[in-house]
Amino acid sequence: AMKQYLSPYAVQPMIRKGDDIDVTELQKAMIDEGGIRLASGKVDLRFPSRSMATGAHRRLCHRLPRGYWSITQSVDTIE
């Protein structure tokens, strides 16, 4: 799905050095929103539409108000 850009919108935590945020708590919240754990141990949270990503972003901000979240969009490159 990622290679075919079926879920181009991702919600990602923005962790800064010195932040007092538990990474395990962030990952659990992302999994609760539908994220998947990758082989690397990171969690990927993707959506097919911006409105779905915005809804998850809003819920994550409410659930973890000390966290910082961003929405990114992957775009296909023309070769």
Side-chain angles (χ1 to χ4, degrees), residues 13-77:
M14 299 172 55
I15 301 171
R16 298 176 296 189
K17 187 175 183 177
D19 281 349
D20 184 28
I21 297 175
D22 182 6
V23 174
T24 304
E25 186 178 2
L26 288 176
Q27 290 181 341
K28 169 130 177 44
M30 292 173 72
I31 289 170
D32 289 349
E33 286 292 330
I36 58 168
R37 187 170 303 277
L38 304 175
S40 66
K42 293 183 179 181
V43 175
D44 194 30
L45 179 58
R46 295 188 167 269
F47 299 94
S49 72
R50 182 160 183 83
S51 63
M52 292 174 76
T54 301
H57 181 271
R58 187 174 25 255
R59 289 186 297 275
L60 288 166
C61 288
H62 180 71
R63 179 173 174 173
L64 299 167
R66 295 178 329 202
Y68 298 96
W69 301 90
S70 68
I71 298 174
T72 59
Q73 179 182 6
S74 301
V75 293
D76 191 6
T77 57

